[in-house]
Amino acid sequence: MKRRVIHIDEEKCTGCGLCVHACHEGAIGLVDGKARLLRDDYCDGLGDCLPACPENAIEFIEREAAAYDEAAVIAEKMRRAQAEIHASMPAGGCPGSMAKMIVREAEPGVVSESGQAAPAHGVNSASNASSSENPFPAPAGGVSTVVNVPARLSNWPVQIKLAPVNAPYFQGCDLLVAADCTAFAYGAFHEDFLKGRVCLIGCPKLDGVDYTEKLAQIIAENNVRSVRVARMQVPCCGGLEQAVRRAVAIAGSQNGVGAAGAVVGARGVAIGAAGADIAGGAGAVVGAVASSIPVQIDVISSDGRIVAVG
């Protein structure tokens, strides 16, 4: 097929490699000290590489070329991400840190042991009934023997500190950033929070780090569409929420979509001149420029209830 692809003038090319880094699809590489278009089907024709070239050695041309293959590009990104993680590991590094996408089979019917239709998830309750039966029953097929609830996790690893910034599963995703404890407190976590989202988890108190910089990189470099935060109703979880809000604002500013001067509070509402939430209540000022990337905060109590949404 005839379509628009890049053309590199080898006479002008100095082999600086800036275009290689600018091409998110991996279509360009250095061969014998010169930039080359390695695969036509990796070139999407958008031209992110053009402004990166200081010698103006790259231009668009119309010619016969293979169609852009997004699936092949994603597979190559995953291969490179895994190679980078593997290369950065010391000898005997943890295989569990390798980035991978989890592809689910067609969702099975949700049926109870009796064969009767069951709800999509169990009752979200803090109570546990005692039983004289075997306390360690063997699960059938790795899932509950009472209700067959499909798992919704689609990416690995899930720890914020371990996830590669440019893992392919982040590209254009709806992101869930969850406090470690939320999946244990909220019974329907997979169905209500994980479904359709890429997940990252962390605990700012235990990790002892500020996630802002890494989350901002992930959001900005992967065109993340939305961010949902699941946090517990405890003060230390506020650190996770604030990191997300700052990261979204930074990413929005980097992408040129920030709304200058709009300062947000801990629950994402506008803050007045005195520093108090206009909607009422005192909130810690995040001090970030608001972004057009939608953010939702769900606060979960230790007994498994969603007590606030902001």
Side-chain angles (χ1 to χ4, degrees):
M1 63 180 295
K2 196 169 186 177
R3 70 181 186 94
R4 186 173 79 160
V5 293
I6 64 163
H7 171 72
I8 303 172
D9 187 334
E10 291 190 16
E11 294 296 322
K12 293 182 179 179
C13 178
T14 61
C16 68
L18 293 177
C19 59
V20 176
H21 298 290
C23 178
H24 302 298
E25 285 69 34
I28 304 174
L30 291 179
V31 179
D32 298 328
K34 297 285 186 178
R36 299 274 180 84
L37 176 60
L38 302 178
R39 290 183 54 160
D40 289 353
D41 59 342
Y42 282 12
C43 180
D44 59 8
L46 295 179
D48 289 341
C49 55
L50 270 68
C53 179
E55 305 299 328
N56 294 318
I58 308 175
E59 63 179 350
F60 282 123
I61 62 170
E62 291 275 344
R63 66 170 174 83
E64 289 292 328
Y68 174 62
D69 189 341
E70 185 177 13
V73 170
I74 292 175
E76 176 60 17
K77 283 184 177 180
M78 178 61 73
R79 186 197 67 77
R80 282 188 282 130
Q82 291 177 338
E84 288 174 8
I85 294 172
H86 184 73
S88 66
M89 286 182 181
C94 175
S97 296
M98 299 293 283
K100 63 181 179 181
M101 300 173 73
I102 301 171
V103 180
R104 301 286 179 188
E105 296 180 1
E107 182 177 325
V110 181
V111 181
S112 67
E113 279 186 312
S114 65
Q116 299 296 316
H121 49 74
V123 176
N124 194 31
S125 170
S127 64
N128 289 312
S130 60
S131 173
S132 59
E133 299 176 358
N134 178 8
F136 307 110
V143 297
S144 169
T145 57
V146 178
V147 179
N148 184 9
V149 180
R152 298 298 187 182
L153 186 65
S154 63
N155 62 286
W156 188 266
V158 294
Q159 287 285 349
I160 298 173
K161 293 176 68 175
L162 296 179
V165 170
N166 295 118
Y169 45 72
F170 287 130
Q171 190 59 234
C173 77
D174 293 302
L175 183 65
L176 170 68
V177 181
D180 291 349
C181 302
T182 54
F184 294 93
Y186 189 80
F189 188 82
H190 274 247
E191 196 67 22
D192 291 355
F193 285 94
L194 267 184
K195 186 176 181 180
R197 292 184 173 271
V198 169
C199 178
L200 287 175
I201 66 172
C203 175
K205 185 172 184 178
L206 294 181
D207 286 346
V209 297
D210 184 350
Y211 302 121
T212 301
E213 183 177 350
K214 184 166 188 179
L215 289 174
Q217 281 185 280
I218 290 172
I219 295 167
E221 295 182 21
N222 296 282
N223 298 314
V224 170
R225 295 189 305 177
S226 68
V227 184
R228 187 175 186 182
V229 178
R231 54 159 291 189
M232 297 300 295
Q233 193 186 20
V234 291
C236 54
C237 258
L240 182 67
E241 177 181 338
Q242 291 182 31
V244 170
R245 291 200 181 279
R246 286 193 294 264
V248 169
I250 292 169
S253 176
Q254 290 175 350
N255 290 333
V257 296
V263 181
V264 295
R267 290 187 297 279
V269 296
I271 293 176
D277 291 355
I278 293 173
V285 177
V286 177
V289 178
S291 166
S292 64
I293 302 170
V295 177
Q296 177 173 315
I297 311 295
D298 291 86
V299 182
I300 299 170
S301 65
S302 58
D303 63 354
R305 295 174 295 114
I306 296 177
V307 293
V309 178

